[in-house]
């Protein structure tokens, strides 16, 4: 719904299609989302190679989804910041850096979880 508009919300189907459109746009235009998807695919392939148990699969898949979602949110934050502050402003840069830092911290923690899950599958 657009603020100040009397139009109803789009249908569930339209909302779903908007989400798909947003995902496609991010994949086409953002390098980091491609890196995150590639990492997720690598983790899934590695899971098949080492024969993960169901709980480990759940952990790996949730971690992949959370990192990709965080990167999408980071992209959205950066896009909005660019919209409202087309010229350089220190606060705009700070907002973008903090959003990127959130994804970086999450990625580091997910990597640690991945090491634990795959070490458990390989050695125990």
């Amino acid at each position: 719904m657009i603020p100040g508009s009397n139009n109803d919300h789009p249908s569930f189907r339209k909302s779903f299609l908007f989400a798909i459109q947003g995902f496609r746009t991010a994949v086409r235009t953002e390098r980091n989302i491609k890196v995150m998807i590639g990492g997720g695919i690598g983790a899934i392939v590695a899971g098949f190679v080492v024969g993960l148990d169901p709980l480990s699969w759940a952990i790996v898949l949730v971690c992949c989804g959370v990192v990709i979602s965080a990167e999408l949110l980071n992209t959205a934050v950066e896009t909005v910041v660019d919209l409202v502050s087309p010229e350089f402003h220190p606060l705009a840069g700070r907002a973008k850096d903090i959003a990127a830092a959130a994804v970086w911290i999450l990625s580091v923690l997910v990597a640690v979880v991945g090491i634990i899950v795959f070490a458990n599958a390989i050695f125990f």
Side-chain angles (χ1 to χ4, degrees), residues 3 16 19 25 30 54 58 65 71 76 84 100:
F16 185 77
T25 300
E30 299 296 322
E71 185 58 42
V84 299

Side-chain angles (χ1 to χ4, degrees), residues 19-61:
I20 296 293
Q21 178 182 344
F23 182 75
R24 285 181 179 164
T25 300
V27 170
R28 267 195 324 271
T29 62
E30 299 296 322
R31 175 186 47 118
N32 286 348
I33 194 73
K34 292 174 189 164
V35 170
M36 299 300 177
I37 290 170
I41 291 169
I44 291 168
V45 169
F48 282 116
V49 169
V50 300
L52 293 179
D53 62 89
L55 180 59
S56 295
W57 270 116
I59 293 168
V60 167
L61 293 174

Side-chain angles (χ1 to χ4, degrees), residues 107-120:
S107 296
V108 169
L109 292 174
V110 163
V112 171
V113 169
I115 290 168
I116 294 167
V117 166
F118 284 101
N120 183 59

Side-chain angles (χ1 to χ4, degrees), residues 63-82:
C63 285
C64 290
V66 168
V67 169
I68 291 168
S69 294
E71 185 58 42
L72 289 167
L73 287 170
N74 178 50
T75 299
V77 166
E78 290 181 349
T79 302
V80 170
V81 167
D82 289 344

